[in-house]
Amino acid sequence: MPGLFPSLRGYRWQWLGRDALAGATVWAVLVPEALAYATIAGVSPVVGLYAAPAALILYAVFGSSRHLVVGPMAATAALSAAIVGDAADGSGAHFAALTAALAVTVGLAALLAGLLRLGFLASFISEPVLKGFIVGLALTIVAGQLPKLFGVEGGPGDFFEKIWALAGDLGATSGLTVLVGAGSLLLILVLRRTAPVVPGSLIAVALGIAVAAAFDLESHGVAVVGDIDTGLPSFGFPDVSLDNSAVSPPEASACCSSPSPRDSGRRRTTPSAATTRSTPTGN
């Protein structure tokens, strides 16, 4: 159909082999990313696996750039968790429904911004402000994930409140959890340095699953994700009231314009979508 798959115009079948290899490489990076960022957003890891293919397929159908990286983003995941956390009581089905509703609202806001050609607004954000936002958000994400590395409960709040809560919980640190977490991190760093073509994150996830099953780490105090649902989710609109603060225009605009760490050091020319970051990779 005219207008669909515009990036495939002029495509040569001779490129298929290398594109298949590139697709496998993206898959190896995207799977652990989707699992991790869904956790940061406060929803089940399987939600990340549901959302990632949709973004890839829809951009392939309607997008025109061959150099756009489409996938989950830590900044948007953290913003989503903060926005939904203020509107939801705890986690669970209501939290997931609000997250889905926020994603729909952000998508609509991104479409409206694109139709109105509002990308120029990004040029009014100075580079120091952009870098400050990225660094601050990165520190907040790190502070939120450190309790999982130590096997402690942690606490809510801003960066300093989370660090203070972590310091108070260090006495309950799980040594085996630290060993597993530090070992996984070390494996990723070593592979990145010695074998950069090997998907270190995916290897760490696969080995972690194998070790947890072989040695029954859950019975030894190591928290695990548990069973991940199989099959496709049920389709439908989230059961959320339109007057809920999580789906208001300001919150949607905040997620829609959230920068990626890769945006640091250069000016953004277009607003990013809820789960899309735009980065020219070149040829």
Side-chain angles (χ1 to χ4, degrees):
M1 295 177 61
L4 299 183
F5 298 98
S7 62
L8 295 182
R9 292 170 186 166
Y11 189 83
R12 301 177 184 177
W13 291 108
Q14 297 90 326
W15 300 342
L16 186 59
R18 291 189 176 184
D19 282 347
L21 178 61
T25 303
V26 170
W27 170 82
V29 175
L30 185 61
V31 169
E33 265 193 357
L35 294 171
Y37 292 160
T39 303
I40 292 176
V43 295
S44 172
V46 74
V47 174
L49 299 179
Y50 290 151
L56 295 172
I57 294 171
L58 288 174
Y59 190 83
V61 174
F62 299 105
S64 58
S65 173
R66 298 180 182 177
H67 310 299
L68 190 72
V69 181
V70 180
M73 199 173 84
T76 307
L79 284 174
S80 174
I83 292 171
V84 175
D86 290 338
D89 296 326
S91 58
H94 185 52
F95 194 99
L98 284 176
T99 302
L102 176 62
V104 172
T105 308
V106 170
L108 294 175
L111 287 174
L112 180 62
L115 292 174
L116 297 177
R117 298 290 191 267
L118 297 181
F120 72 93
L121 294 175
S123 62
F124 291 100
I125 304 177
S126 66
E127 189 172 314
V129 172
L130 183 62
K131 287 185 175 180
F133 173 83
I134 292 172
V135 171
L137 191 58
L139 290 175
T140 303
I141 293 173
V142 170
Q145 297 304 303
L146 279 176
K148 299 177 182 178
L149 182 63
F150 288 92
V152 297
E153 187 67 26
D158 57 26
F159 171 78
F160 297 102
E161 291 172 336
K162 290 180 179 180
I163 292 298
W164 183 256
L166 173 63
D169 291 340
L170 287 180
T173 297
S174 169
L176 188 56
T177 300
V178 173
L179 180 62
V180 172
S184 300
L185 181 60
L186 180 62
L187 175 63
I188 294 173
L189 295 177
V190 169
L191 288 177
R192 181 178 299 178
R193 188 175 185 85
T194 60
V197 298
V198 177
S201 299
L202 186 62
I203 297 297
V205 170
L207 284 179
I209 293 173
V211 171
F215 297 97
D216 193 17
L217 295 184
E218 186 176 10
S219 65
H220 293 84
V222 178
V224 298
V225 173
D227 295 332
I228 295 180
D229 296 334
T230 59
L232 295 176
S234 57
F235 293 94
F237 289 100
D239 185 14
V240 174
S241 173
L242 293 179
D243 60 357
N244 194 292
S245 62
V247 295
S248 64
E251 276 71 14
S253 300
C255 283
C256 184
S257 58
S258 62
S260 160
R262 293 186 182 184
D263 291 322
S264 181
R266 64 178 179 86
R267 300 305 295 260
R268 292 182 293 119
T269 57
T270 57
S272 61
T275 55
T276 302
R277 55 179 181 270
S278 176
T279 305
T281 57
N283 290 318

